[in-house]
Amino acid sequence: MSKNTLDAVPHRARVAWQALATQLSATLGEDLVAMWAYGSVVGADRPERPADLDTHVILRGRPDAEVAARIEEAVTSMEDVEFDIWFVTLDDARRHEEPPHAFEDGRRDTSWAIHRAHWLAGRVVTVRGPAPSEIVAPPRWQEIVGELDRELEHIERHVHEGDRDAYEASYAILNGSRILRSLETRDPVLSKREAGHWALDHLPRRWHPALRAALLAYDERATPDDARLLATEMAPFVAMVRERLPAGRDRSDVPRWSGY
């Protein structure tokens, strides 16, 4: 298991997570159960470009409107950082079902199973309170499969809408690689960079130039030629990923990805 600690993450992220935890603790008191930091920023192979700070906060219960407003003010007051943050009640965090946001109606964490898989594999930093292993349940494989399918639908929507800038294309190609590797190994715990290198080792040479360009774009080091290649290869790569998904699987019971 990974031994990630807050001391090991970049200074900017560490200061932001510590400051947010202090503000939330002052606002919530004992109603703040736990705060977990995860995502590419806490990993050893973090991208060179600044990334959002992926965060889950576990609350004792649903806050009232006044407290919710103070929470949102604490999050948005952080300068020079952007949080991708979820607030979940303790009762919901203990369930398998995708949890609703604790105070924003209509939102659900549609990557809940994959998040749990990463946290329980140690790809997380506990900023406050108990570790995820003391609260969340291990995900079932079918939960993982459903979420991977929704993630691919999200990528396909970007293709359909013509969103072909270099970073979005690299996201599509590296996440598509992560989907393929997860399904092949029945293990969704890997970073986008790890997925790209896995794909270079396991996918036909036809895709290697696009994969190398995607890895460069992930660190914002893509050349104009790389960007043009990514824009051209994004759609066929995503179509290839769809074709490689298990044929004939009944997808009627898989909810469509609804966004964050």
Side-chain angles (χ1 to χ4, degrees), residues 64-76:
D64 61 29
E66 179 181 350
V67 173
R70 290 165 59 194
I71 291 171
E72 291 182 336
E73 182 180 358
V75 173
T76 58

Side-chain angles (χ1 to χ4, degrees), residues 38-205:
Y38 60 101
S40 61
V41 175
V42 308
D45 66 344
R46 64 182 64 94
E48 295 177 17
R49 65 182 293 276
D52 295 346
L53 303 185
D54 295 328
T55 313
H56 263 66
V57 178
I58 309 303
L59 306 178
R60 189 78 55 191
R62 291 178 62 90
D64 61 29
E66 179 181 350
V67 173
R70 290 165 59 194
I71 291 171
E72 291 182 336
E73 182 180 358
V75 173
T76 58
S77 68
M78 298 284 121
E79 296 182 358
D80 301 323
V81 296
E82 185 172 347
F83 290 95
D84 187 349
I85 190 165
W86 267 92
F87 293 88
V88 177
T89 68
L90 181 59
D91 285 346
D92 287 333
R94 287 174 168 152
R95 300 188 177 105
H96 282 269
E97 294 78 16
E98 296 168 350
H101 193 284
F103 53 86
E104 293 185 15
D105 293 339
R107 297 181 66 200
R108 285 186 176 271
D109 182 353
T110 55
S111 295
W112 182 238
I114 293 175
H115 287 151
R116 283 150 47 213
H118 278 78
W119 299 338
L120 295 176
R123 298 200 180 197
V124 65
V125 170
T126 299
V127 184
R128 282 285 195 280
S133 58
E134 298 182 44
I135 294 176
V136 305
R140 304 181 181 105
W141 176 241
Q142 194 55 37
E143 294 175 283
I144 297 289
V145 172
E147 291 185 359
L148 292 172
D149 192 273
R150 283 197 301 274
E151 178 62 22
L152 183 55
E153 289 183 348
H154 168 55
I155 296 169
E156 289 170 330
R157 185 152 55 249
H158 277 273
V159 172
H160 177 73
E161 293 173 355
D163 189 357
R164 304 196 306 170
D165 73 76
Y167 185 72
E168 287 297 341
S170 71
Y171 172 91
I173 289 170
L174 296 180
N175 257 17
S177 300
R178 183 156 60 178
I179 290 167
L180 290 178
R181 190 269 196 179
S182 298
L183 290 169
E184 180 167 318
T185 64
R186 294 177 71 92
D187 179 8
V189 180
L190 76 163
S191 69
K192 286 191 281 289
R193 192 191 306 281
E194 289 169 328
H197 287 294
W198 174 88
L200 283 170
D201 289 338
H202 292 84
L203 294 185
R205 289 183 178 273

